[in-house]
Amino acid sequence: MSNHMTPPLPPYGPPVPPQPRKNPAVVTALVAGAAAVVAAAVAVAVTLGVTSDDEAKAAPTVTVTETVGEGAAPAADEEEAAEPAAEASEDGVYALGDTVTYDSDIEVGLSGFERAVSTDTAMPENAPHVRFTVKIKNGGGETLDATALTVNCSYGKDGHSSEAVFDSAAGLNGGPDTKLLAGRSINVPWGCELPKGEKLVQIEVAPDFDSETAIFTGEVE
């Protein structure tokens, strides 16, 4: 009987060699590439679509409508007709009912024409004349010296000089004796001689010393 004994087996199997680690950058790139391919395929499918006849169908066209903002010009049919400014004739003469606007934003206009006869206490007394209102509006930024208002009249085709009528009983006291602040206006009653047989009048108005004279003309009934 032999005494040779087989050595006992080790409790565990032979050691397993370590596995090589995968490069994380390579794995990320592969995943990203696959995602890009899937996204591109989905985009193509959504954009084109497939008809029942397996033909590619074009994507719908989007129409953009431009909306007119507040700063844009309105359409021609939406524009309101602007009130026309007073237009002078070729020789710079205005109609009796016009309003003249100076570069200084001072406005001058005449209105309320009517015939009258002055009282016996007026200068001149018992004189037929035309009565009207001179309206001055100071649209500028500085005070206007309204005491410098001048009004000169004439009548007839031959241009006869017309004397101003001062009649305190009728409220004809000449020009104002105050200054006109910016943004304010004033109405000044005025009278000029006008014989009963005359209709054509010419009225020259200057609101102050710095403004040019505006010439108004027309017939008074």
Side-chain angles (χ1 to χ4, degrees), residues 38-153:
V38 173
V42 172
V44 171
V46 172
T47 302
L48 297 178
V50 179
T51 65
S52 59
D53 298 331
D54 295 335
E55 294 180 355
K57 181 172 60 177
T61 302
V62 178
T63 303
V64 179
T65 303
E66 182 177 359
T67 303
V68 179
E70 294 181 357
D77 56 348
E78 296 179 356
E79 291 183 350
E80 295 184 359
E83 183 177 355
E87 296 183 358
S89 60
E90 295 181 356
D91 53 359
V93 178
Y94 297 85
L96 293 179
D98 287 344
T99 297
V100 178
T101 303
Y102 292 85
D103 292 338
S104 58
D105 290 331
I106 296 173
E107 297 180 6
V108 176
L110 308 179
S111 62
F113 292 89
E114 60 181 5
R115 289 181 178 269
V117 178
S118 61
T119 64
D120 55 4
T121 60
M123 294 179 56
E125 61 184 23
N126 302 318
H129 62 278
V130 57
R131 177 189 176 101
F132 54 91
T133 299
V134 180
K135 182 175 182 178
I136 305 174
K137 180 179 179 180
N138 184 5
E142 300 181 357
T143 300
L144 174 68
D145 186 6
T147 62
L149 170 68
T150 58
V151 181
N152 296 310
C153 302

Side-chain angles (χ1 to χ4, degrees), residues 5-24:
M5 297 180 65
T6 303
L9 295 174
Y12 303 100
V16 178
Q19 296 294 327
R21 299 181 60 186
K22 295 182 181 181
N23 190 340

